[in-house]
Amino acid sequence: DADVTQTPRNRITKTGKRIMLECSQTKGHDRMYWYRQDPGLGLRLIYYSFDVKDINKGEISDGYSVSRQAQAKFSLSLESAIPNQTALYFCATSRGTMNTGELFFGEGSRLTVL
Amino acid sequence: GEDVEQSLFLSVREGDSSVINCTYTDSSSTYLYWYKQEPGAGLQLLTYIFSNMDMKQDQRLTVLLNKKDKHLSLRIADTQTGDSAIYFCAESTRDDKIIFGKGTRLHILP
């Protein structure tokens, strides 16, 4: 079983709909992240959380919100989806840079907004 | 703000060495990373280097770090078809985020 699990893996939705992407992890890491990948733009950080009570905006947080329901769960919401939010979304976890800071990624959630 | 730059494409003949270059902006980065993304998959850490090191070698991989120029490179010796992937350079920032470059797509020529 995957250590970092994202659901759904694929989703097609319409403009204006509310969408939630969920991430759960069994690695016991405190730190969790949401990234977005677009061709030619690489990975951009949306939000990150260093523990259950900590939420931080990343490079491109506008139009997104997050919830850290537990150490193991971090969900990303699009309140009113728009076509330029069509992308591949990755959740990742980390022990932090007190260790090597290595990120462990889920397999991605492909979102298409029509 | 923090930024990581790398070229988008590299083509290399099978058996030759591949060199992927990266520049970064945060001089306080503790770690610098190379991640590999194979088609249809998430990213996996390939190797990393601590900021007080100049070089790290791990089998076919050699990482060189020039802190003065904020330049990082990844050399893959004897490039194989299985090395075909997107390679991302990344840095840890002073506030403990991990920032990625746009990724270099490595294409292997027969």
Side-chain angles (χ1 to χ4, degrees):
Chain A
D1 287 341
D3 294 319
V4 183
T5 302
Q6 294 183 229
T7 56
R9 295 291 313 281
N10 287 284
R11 181 73 184 266
I12 300 173
T13 191
K14 294 183 179 179
T15 296
K17 294 291 188 182
R18 184 177 187 274
I19 294 297
M20 180 181 286
L21 305 179
E22 299 188 344
C23 178
S24 62
Q25 52 120 343
T26 58
K27 299 193 76 66
H29 292 166
D30 285 327
R31 299 185 177 199
M32 299 187 73
Y33 306 77
W34 277 104
Y35 287 89
R36 159 180 179 160
Q37 184 177 20
D38 298 276
L41 294 178
L43 268 73
R44 292 180 290 168
L45 182 62
I46 307 173
Y47 271 96
Y48 60 106
S49 169
F50 284 172
D51 65 42
V52 174
K53 295 179 183 176
D54 177 73
I55 301 288
N56 303 283
K57 292 183 177 181
E59 305 164 80
I60 54 162
S61 57
D62 287 349
Y64 301 95
S65 62
V66 290
S67 173
R68 185 80 185 266
Q69 301 95 323
Q71 186 206 38
K73 295 184 183 296
F74 193 36
S75 58
L76 176 71
S77 293
L78 289 68
E79 296 302 326
S80 179
I82 55 176
N84 78 359
Q85 291 177 313
T86 293
L88 183 57
Y89 291 84
F90 284 104
C91 175
T93 73
S94 168
R95 291 191 193 91
T97 52
M98 292 299 290
N99 293 279
T100 64
E102 178 181 358
L103 292 173
F104 295 85
F105 284 85
E107 294 183 335
S109 296
R110 185 169 296 281
L111 176 66
T112 303
V113 183
L114 302 176
Chain B
E2 305 101 354
D3 196 17
V4 178
E5 296 284 343
Q6 55 184 126
S7 56
L8 295 182
F9 297 100
L10 178 66
S11 290
V12 174
R13 293 210 174 273
E14 189 175 1
D16 287 350
S17 292
S18 305
V19 179
I20 303 172
N21 294 300
C22 166
T23 57
Y24 61 97
T25 55
D26 191 341
S27 57
S28 67
S29 291
T30 304
Y31 291 97
L32 294 129
Y33 310 90
W34 286 102
Y35 281 81
K36 179 181 181 181
Q37 184 182 32
E38 296 186 356
L43 281 72
Q44 285 196 304
L45 182 68
L46 192 60
T47 187
Y48 68 92
I49 188 166
F50 192 55
S51 58
N52 68 355
M53 297 170 66
D54 298 323
M55 185 181 87
K56 180 179 180 181
Q57 190 148 3
D58 182 4
Q59 299 183 328
R60 292 191 298 123
L61 305 177
T62 303
V63 178
L64 295 178
L65 175 60
N66 180 329
K67 287 188 68 176
K68 175 176 170 290
D69 295 336
K70 298 193 186 72
H71 183 267
L72 183 74
S73 68
L74 172 69
R75 178 176 179 267
I76 305 173
D78 187 24
T79 308
Q80 304 297 309
T81 55
D83 295 324
S84 181
I86 303 176
Y87 291 83
F88 290 92
C89 176
E91 64 171 346
S92 62
T93 67
R94 64 191 68 206
D95 52 355
D96 257 4
K97 297 179 298 190
I98 309 295
I99 301 297
F100 287 83
K102 293 180 170 55
T104 300
R105 185 178 295 274
L106 178 61
H107 178 62
I108 313 303
L109 302 167

